């Protein structure tokens, strides 16, 4: 994941901690009865399980020197209780998990006074509101050892929800050996279990994890990033109970065009059962929805897959203000200067977060000598809003803007991340009227270029691609 900040500043530095916290596997532990009638973790009735947890996360520059690594340590207590069990089957249950007594500190003592945590309390580090959200209980609906639903409160900070998702993910396990697919904070992943008498080892193939994300991924390996990741979690079992969970995840990465720019993220977690004591009585009923409502009607089912932590930029300029500040750099006489390139790229990033109305307003207000560069930038943003804005602005039935129509089509042809919507838009335009036959022919050429790029990214079966192929072949058959 790449976070592009541009010239914007994040006003709350505490979000940095939460950003890296997304990388955590925040594991937990609960008691398990291996009596043969359960396929995964199972808690005893009316018992409160009190656990201790610690995790360390390091970001290593790739040189392997401890003094060059940075990281932090989180420790806490975790309380787990069984709220409901389906009377028709023990493999269907709802449990409540509560994180308490959270402490955050520097992971390595070698940083000393340079530590950003030095002399700061946990509420000061992550924020009072974030700490309160982290310590609010979450509910898990487990079916056959897997998380069917993850319940939390609405509008909690994404970083906090991701910490809870990581914790919930560790409740998924099975007592028998085998390979299966599980959906957890990492996405839909291939997981292999190795069951022994005194332990169960879970190996997650992180390279198989699939998460549907909006935004861009690069298909150019030269400009991409190579990565290698491993994830191993061991559940220790004594007298048919899980007594400890040890987890380690490593992610190594390097830029393909410059292998010396590399790094490694290592996270280690340890969770142990401390004690059990009398707990609350289970909630009666046969429907999970009724149980959740009885606990708190404010609970909502949310995806267990980790979400991207978006930075909120406070005090950043509007799109119009940004354009006004860089406009001079994109005038024809300044295009050969380095400032023009920097301004162009920065403006594209701003366009990717802007609404159609904002973009269209700038296009309509600009003078003709700068419009070609502005059209290039808007088209290169490659977002639904930017596409709608440029299509609303350009009139292919008029011969007064042929230069701008050409610039738009060229930018489409060189698009790094074309999608089906762009191809569909050009197909629609091709079926309409044109003031210039040359522009109409250019549209067909760009349609062919987009078909090639989409097919290279396994998009040959998309409806728009199939339609474009028929259109091209039909045109060839006519002569």
């Amino acid at each position: 994941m790449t976070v592009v900040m541009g010239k914007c500043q994040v006003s709350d530095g505490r979000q940095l901690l939460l950003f890296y916290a997304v990388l955590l596997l925040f594991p937990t532990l609960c008691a398990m009865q291996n009596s043969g009638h359960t396929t995964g973790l199972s808690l005893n009735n009316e018992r409160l399980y009190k656990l201790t947890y610690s995790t360390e996360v390091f970001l290593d520059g790739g040189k392997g020197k401890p003094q060059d690594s940075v990281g932090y340590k989180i420790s806490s207590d975790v309380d787990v209780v069984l709220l409901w069990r389906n009377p028709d089957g023990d493999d269907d249950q709802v449990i409540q998990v509560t994180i308490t007594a959270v402490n955050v500190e520097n992971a390595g003592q070698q940083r000393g006074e340079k530590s950003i945590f030095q002399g700061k309390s946990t509420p000061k580090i992550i924020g009072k509101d974030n700490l309160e959200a982290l310590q609010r209980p979450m509910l898990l609906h487990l079916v056959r050892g897997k998380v069917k639903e993850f319940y939390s409160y609405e509008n909690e900070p994404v970083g906090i929800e991701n910490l809870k998702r990581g914790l919930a993910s560790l409740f998924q396990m099975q007592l028998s050996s085998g390979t299966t697919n599980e959906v957890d904070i990492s996405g839909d992943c291939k997981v292999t279990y190795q069951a022994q008498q005194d332990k169960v080892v879970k190996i997650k193939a992180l390279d198989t994890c699939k998460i549907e994300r909006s935004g861009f991924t690069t298909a150019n390996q030269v400009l991409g990033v190579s990565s290698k990741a491993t994830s191993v979690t061991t559940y220790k079992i004594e007298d048919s109970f899980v007594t400890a969970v040890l987890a380690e995840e490593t992610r190594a990465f390097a830029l393909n065009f410059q292998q010396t720019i590399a790094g490694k993220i290592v996270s280690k977690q340890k969770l142990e059962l401390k004690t059990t004591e009398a707990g609350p009585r289970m909630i009666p009923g046969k429907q999970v929805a009724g149980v959740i409502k009885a606990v708190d009607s404010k609970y909502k089912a949310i995806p267990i897959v980790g979400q991207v932590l978006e930075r909120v930029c406070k005090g950043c300029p509007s799109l119009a203000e940004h354009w006004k500040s860089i406009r001079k750099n994109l005038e024809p006489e300044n295009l050969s200067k380095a400032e023009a390139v920097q301004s162009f790229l920065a403006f594209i990033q701003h366009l990717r977060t802007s609404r159609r109305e904002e973009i269209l307003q700038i296009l309509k207000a600009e003078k003709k000598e700068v419009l070609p560069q502005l059209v290039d930038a808007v088209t290169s943003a490659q977002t639904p809003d930017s596409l709608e804005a440029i299509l609303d602005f350009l009139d292919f039935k008029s011969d007064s803007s042929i230069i701008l129509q050409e610039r738009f089509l060229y930018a489409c042809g060189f698009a790094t991340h074309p999608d089906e919507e762009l191809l569909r838009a050009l197909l629609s335009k091709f079926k309409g009227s044109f003031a210039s036959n040359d522009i109409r022919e250019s549209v067909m050429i760009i349609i062919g270029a987009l078909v090639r790029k989409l097919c290279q990214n396994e998009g040959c079966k998309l409806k728009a691609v199939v339609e474009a192929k028929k259109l091209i072949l039909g045109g060839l058959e006519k002569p």
Side-chain angles (χ1 to χ4, degrees), residues 455-473:
C455 283
Q456 285 179 329
N457 290 327
E458 300 180 354
C460 266
K461 295 183 179 180
L462 295 172
K463 290 183 178 179
V465 174
V466 174
E467 181 183 349
K469 286 181 178 180
K470 290 181 179 179
L471 184 64
I472 295 172
L473 293 174

Side-chain angles (χ1 to χ4, degrees), residues 33 35-45 82 84-95 142-145 282:
Q33 281 191 303
S35 58
H37 64 284
T38 59
T39 57
L41 298 173
S42 179
L43 278 69
N44 288 332
N45 299 354
L82 175 66
W84 173 84
R85 176 176 283 138
N86 192 329
D88 297 330
D90 287 352
D91 278 355
D92 188 0
Q93 54 193 330
V94 174
I95 63 175
L142 298 174
V143 178
R144 298 183 183 89
M282 290 194 302

Side-chain angles (χ1 to χ4, degrees), residues 67 184 198 327 401:
Q67 62 270 23
D184 62 11
D198 60 346
R327 182 188 179 282
S401 61

Side-chain angles (χ1 to χ4, degrees), residues 368-388:
K368 64 179 182 179
E369 63 267 17
V370 184
L371 266 176
Q373 294 80 266
L374 181 56
V375 169
D376 287 344
V378 172
T379 309
S380 299
Q382 303 178 70
T383 66
D385 281 273
S386 64
L387 178 60
E388 287 182 17

Side-chain angles (χ1 to χ4, degrees), residues 42-238:
S42 179
L43 278 69
N44 288 332
N45 299 354
E46 301 179 11
R47 301 300 299 174
L48 168 64
Y49 296 87
K50 302 189 75 66
L51 319 166
T52 59
Y53 168 81
S54 67
T55 181
E56 295 185 13
V57 179
F58 283 97
L59 176 60
D60 185 356
K63 299 180 180 179
K65 297 180 180 180
Q67 62 270 23
D68 294 333
S69 300
V70 293
Y72 63 94
K73 178 179 180 179
I74 294 179
S75 58
S76 71
D77 293 335
V78 177
D79 294 342
V80 182
V81 295
L82 175 66
L83 294 181
W84 173 84
R85 176 176 283 138
N86 192 329
D88 297 330
D90 287 352
D91 278 355
D92 188 0
Q93 54 193 330
V94 174
I95 63 175
Q96 177 178 281
V97 182
T98 308
I99 301 170
T100 63
V102 180
N103 184 51
V104 183
E105 57 186 316
N106 188 60
Q109 299 299 323
Q110 68 273 10
R111 302 194 68 83
E113 295 181 356
K114 294 182 179 180
S115 171
I116 63 173
F117 305 131
Q118 185 72 22
K120 297 180 181 178
S121 63
T122 298
K124 186 71 175 179
I125 295 171
I126 68 175
K128 182 180 178 181
D129 293 341
N130 290 331
L131 182 60
E132 289 179 355
L134 181 60
Q135 295 183 139
R136 281 196 285 266
M138 60 178 166
L139 307 181
L140 305 179
H141 180 199
L142 298 174
V143 178
R144 298 183 183 89
K146 307 302 169 68
V147 177
K148 183 176 181 180
E149 292 289 353
F150 168 63
Y151 295 92
S152 186
Y153 290 95
E154 283 188 309
N155 301 321
E156 287 189 339
V158 175
I160 295 300
E161 287 185 340
N162 282 337
L163 283 172
K164 291 183 175 181
R165 288 182 174 102
L167 171 60
S169 298
L170 265 290
F171 278 91
Q172 297 196 109
M173 65 96 68
Q174 64 186 48
L175 305 180
S176 58
S177 299
T179 299
T180 185
N181 270 63
E182 289 183 357
V183 178
D184 62 11
I185 188 172
S186 302
D188 189 342
C189 310
K190 182 180 179 180
V191 177
T192 299
Y193 285 93
Q194 299 172 353
Q196 301 177 23
Q197 184 176 0
D198 60 346
K199 65 180 180 181
V200 174
V201 178
K202 179 167 74 170
I203 302 173
K204 186 192 302 182
L206 293 172
D207 58 336
T208 67
C209 296
K210 298 179 181 178
I211 302 180
E212 291 188 5
R213 299 281 195 212
S214 60
F216 298 147
T217 57
T218 178
N220 189 322
Q221 294 303 312
V222 175
L223 301 178
V225 176
S226 296
S227 63
K228 184 177 181 181
T230 59
S231 174
V232 179
T233 303
T234 302
Y235 298 81
K236 292 189 175 182
I237 302 173
E238 294 181 11

Side-chain angles (χ1 to χ4, degrees), residues 202-408:
K202 179 167 74 170
I203 302 173
K204 186 192 302 182
L206 293 172
D207 58 336
T208 67
C209 296
K210 298 179 181 178
I211 302 180
E212 291 188 5
R213 299 281 195 212
S214 60
F216 298 147
T217 57
T218 178
N220 189 322
Q221 294 303 312
V222 175
L223 301 178
V225 176
S226 296
S227 63
K228 184 177 181 181
T230 59
S231 174
V232 179
T233 303
T234 302
Y235 298 81
K236 292 189 175 182
I237 302 173
E238 294 181 11
D239 298 327
S240 299
F241 284 87
V242 172
T243 59
V245 173
L246 304 175
E248 180 170 340
E249 180 172 319
T250 302
R251 295 178 180 268
F253 53 89
L255 293 181
N256 291 339
F257 80 97
Q258 184 72 322
Q259 291 292 313
T260 56
I261 302 178
K264 182 171 63 174
I265 298 173
V266 180
S267 64
K268 297 181 180 180
Q269 301 87 27
K270 182 178 182 180
L271 199 74
E272 292 183 298
L273 176 64
K274 183 169 60 176
T275 183
T276 63
E277 56 188 57
R281 299 186 63 179
M282 290 194 302
I283 300 173
K286 288 191 174 184
Q287 300 296 325
V288 173
V291 175
I292 302 300
K293 187 176 182 180
V295 177
D296 193 337
S297 60
K298 294 181 180 179
Y299 275 113
K300 301 294 180 182
I302 62 175
I304 194 173
V305 175
Q307 303 299 305
V308 175
L309 177 62
E310 296 181 357
R311 303 296 184 100
V312 178
C313 181
K314 297 181 179 179
C316 292
S318 65
L319 183 68
E321 292 171 336
H322 189 177
W323 172 245
K324 185 177 179 181
S325 68
I326 66 162
R327 182 188 179 282
K328 187 175 181 179
N329 294 333
L330 296 182
E331 292 179 350
E333 61 270 20
N334 296 323
L335 291 178
S336 61
K337 299 178 181 179
E339 290 83 356
V341 178
Q342 295 170 353
S343 298
F344 184 79
L345 294 176
F347 190 60
I348 288 176
Q349 298 300 334
H350 204 150
L351 284 166
R352 286 176 176 167
T353 61
S354 301
R355 293 178 290 107
R356 166 189 167 277
E357 294 77 11
E358 297 176 285
I359 302 172
L360 189 57
Q361 183 178 4
I362 294 176
L363 285 167
K364 289 181 177 180
E366 194 47 68
K367 297 179 180 179
K368 64 179 182 179
E369 63 267 17
V370 184
L371 266 176
Q373 294 80 266
L374 181 56
V375 169
D376 287 344
V378 172
T379 309
S380 299
Q382 303 178 70
T383 66
D385 281 273
S386 64
L387 178 60
E388 287 182 17
I390 194 66
L391 290 176
D392 286 348
F393 175 71
L394 295 176
D395 183 7
F396 287 88
K397 298 178 182 179
S398 172
D399 58 2
S400 62
S401 61
I402 288 179
I403 293 178
L404 300 181
Q405 295 170 32
E406 288 179 340
R407 296 292 282 260
F408 163 70

